[in-house]
Amino acid sequence: MTRTADVVIIGGGVTGASLAFHLASGGVKGVVLLERNFLAAGGTGRSVGVIRQLYPSPETCRMVLHSLRVFQNFPEAVGGDSGYVGCGALIGVSPAMLPSLERSLEIQREVGIRAEVLPPSELARLEPRIDPSGLGAVLHEPESGYGDPTAVTLGYATAARDRGVVIEQGVAVIGIQVDAGRVKGVVTQTGERIDSRVVVNAAGLWAGAVAVLAGVTLPIVVGRHPVFVVKRGATFGPPHVVYLDLAGGTYVRPETGDLTLTGSLVEDETRHPMDPELLGSEAGFEEAAETLERTSRAIPALADAHYQQGYAGAFDITPDWMPILDESPVCGFYIAAGMSGHGFKLAPAVGQLMAELITGGRTTVNRAPFALDRFAAARRGASFVGSFLGSG
Ligand SMILES: Cc1cc2nc3c(=O)[nH]c(=O)nc-3n(C[C@H](O)[C@H](O)[C@H](O)COP(=O)(O)OP(=O)(O)OC[C@H]3O[C@@H](n4cnc5c(N)ncnc54)[C@H](O)[C@@H]3O)c2cc1C
């Protein structure tokens, strides 16, 4: 059986759904999104959903600000609910990180992000439960917070369907047809062929495997990032803000039901490559104990919290911890992957940029920092913390 499409998107996570919406909103007909499992079954459904706006480049700052505005106005901009909670975010840095933070703040301000650098003593006013010792400064982003990645995916998918996109779940792509350096279409696990001159790899943690089907190698490592859920004690008081402790290597974000999601910010993910099929499996007690110890150093009142569960998450990580948003060397085969732990908060802007790229329009954001060939020239000093502050 063979049919045709104008664009085939592989992957129904937040990236694929956002792209489907943006293509259809731009008037592209014949968009088919294929998801091997169900919408948001991949990294998206396991995401912590933090929206912070500290990024080291004007491009990423613009993209995250655009995305924040979409999350804030999701019912009007897309439809549905993004689950955005603007509780504010605090980002603690060591004294050595302060110069980089100040440079990043300048970029934030230039693009219109609301943020201020404060001395650690200001924590007494903003969030007295954070331990200021060891911090050189704190960045306060009053509009940051968190959202619901699954709800955002479903919102985009519903709006995309309303605009004519065909979304098929339970359909895995097992082959990508290429002829004379140009993509021709895909083959699904039922043996069906869908001919298309444009195929987009939005397969998240599986993007490397999907690229290989077209003979393309992506510099992406799937690195383990476990998440732990604790229930705050009765004496904790009102929910805390989102706190990212770059100095101490931990983060917390509040959840309903007196819960807190926490994990590591020690950027050891690339040292722990993970089979993406293990996504969601139970995390070990040892790794939980290690992270929770750091968390309770950052917020001592969380030392009384009760451990609820831990699960294995993973990031699709590129060498510079920034996404690949580009056409591959196979003409018509596009890559929107390697989100490196940023894929939720950037998803609205990523969908827009990819739709602009595919339709041949001028991209709103300079896309050079996301080009696939940037890895040809080796970059040094890239890291997850670098994705907040830059490397210099
Ligand atoms: C634990 C964790 C915490 C995170 N925290 C944050 C955060 O706080 N803030 C933030 O901004 N980002 C965060 N992220 C990152 C962000 O959630 C991801 O980058 C983003 O959700 C990835 O979306 P995606 O659509 O690119 O990929 P995915 O969600 O992985 O979607 C890819 C989809 O492709 C499908 N697929 C794979 N192969 C095929 C195939 N052959 N055929 C058809 N379909 C296929 C998969 O089933 C999957 O549904 C976190 C991620 C994790 C895992």
Side-chain angles (χ1 to χ4, degrees):
M1 201 167 62
T2 304
R3 59 183 155 140
T4 57
D6 289 332
V7 180
V8 173
I9 300 170
I10 305 171
V14 72
T15 304
S18 170
L19 173 59
F21 167 81
H22 283 91
L23 284 170
S25 299
V28 179
K29 309 271 182 241
V31 179
V32 175
L33 184 155
L34 302 175
E35 164 54 50
R36 65 169 196 156
N37 208 330
F38 52 87
L39 292 170
T44 299
R46 297 289 171 179
S47 179
V48 175
V50 164
I51 304 163
R52 48 96 175 172
Q53 299 169 82
L54 180 59
Y55 274 101
S57 75
E59 290 82 8
T60 35
C61 282
R62 272 194 199 101
M63 288 168 79
V64 78
L65 180 60
H66 168 80
S67 299
L68 172 69
R69 295 291 175 245
V70 173
F71 294 134
Q72 287 171 325
N73 300 296
F74 207 70
E76 303 78 39
V78 181
D81 185 0
S82 69
Y84 166 71
V85 177
C87 58
L90 292 166
I91 302 176
V93 302
S94 66
M97 293 170 177
L98 185 53
S100 306
L101 179 66
E102 281 169 345
R103 277 197 297 280
S104 295
L105 177 72
E106 273 174 39
I107 300 172
Q108 286 188 302
R109 292 230 166 116
E110 272 162 29
V111 310
I113 291 172
R114 283 179 60 203
E116 56 181 343
V117 172
L118 301 167
S121 57
E122 282 289 303
L123 282 170
R125 176 176 65 82
L126 289 167
E127 179 47 275
R129 292 167 294 193
I130 295 174
D131 182 354
S133 52
L135 298 180
V138 186
L139 183 79
H140 181 214
E141 297 176 344
E143 291 189 281
S144 290
Y146 61 94
D148 180 339
T150 297
V152 168
T153 306
L154 299 182
Y156 273 131
T158 303
R161 273 196 201 101
D162 291 346
R163 289 160 175 78
V165 174
V166 173
I167 295 181
E168 297 179 12
Q169 302 180 68
V171 179
V173 169
I174 58 158
I176 297 178
Q177 295 181 306
V178 178
D179 184 29
R182 163 160 265 297
V183 80
K184 292 289 177 198
V186 302
V187 180
T188 72
Q189 92 274 17
T190 60
E192 187 189 16
R193 235 179 66 193
I194 305 178
D195 290 341
S196 181
R197 289 171 64 80
V198 177
V199 173
V200 186
N201 179 354
L205 302 174
W206 295 267
V210 165
V212 167
L213 299 176
V216 172
T217 305
L218 295 180
I220 292 177
V221 172
V222 175
R224 183 180 165 84
H225 178 87
V227 175
F228 307 98
V229 185
V230 297
K231 191 169 176 73
R232 301 187 294 272
T235 56
F236 189 84
H240 50 80
V241 298
V242 166
Y243 179 49
L244 304 157
D245 180 4
L246 297 184
T250 188
Y251 67 83
V252 290
R253 89 99 152 133
E255 177 54 273
T256 48
D258 296 327
L259 299 177
T260 290
L261 308 185
T262 184
S264 265
L265 269 180
V266 293
E267 59 192 24
D268 62 350
E269 286 85 357
T270 51
R271 290 203 299 277
H272 301 282
M274 186 180 109
D275 176 354
E277 299 308 323
L278 293 176
L279 190 70
S281 58
E282 210 175 315
F285 272 113
E286 242 170 61
E287 54 186 351
E290 203 183 297
T291 301
L292 295 179
E293 194 196 319
R294 274 199 298 273
T295 305
S296 47
R297 247 184 271 139
I299 303 189
L302 281 177
D304 295 339
H306 290 279
Y307 182 64
Q308 302 278 294
Q309 60 157 316
Y311 61 84
F315 297 160
D316 42 332
I317 306 166
T318 66
D320 64 2
W321 287 79
M322 283 293 151
I324 299 168
L325 307 173
D326 202 358
E327 189 171 10
S328 77
V330 172
C331 193
F333 181 53
Y334 290 82
I335 314 295
M339 297 299 159
S340 308
H342 319 295
F344 169 60
K345 69 180 85 59
L346 297 180
V350 163
Q352 183 186 44
L353 190 151
M354 286 303 298
E356 290 165 343
L357 177 63
I358 290 165
T359 55
R362 207 176 145 265
T363 55
T364 336
V365 170
N366 167 28
R367 58 180 194 83
F370 312 110
L372 179 54
D373 67 5
R374 71 189 188 272
F375 302 112
R379 291 193 175 195
R380 294 180 20 193
S383 64
F384 193 47
V385 170
S387 79
F388 287 71
L389 293 171
S391 51

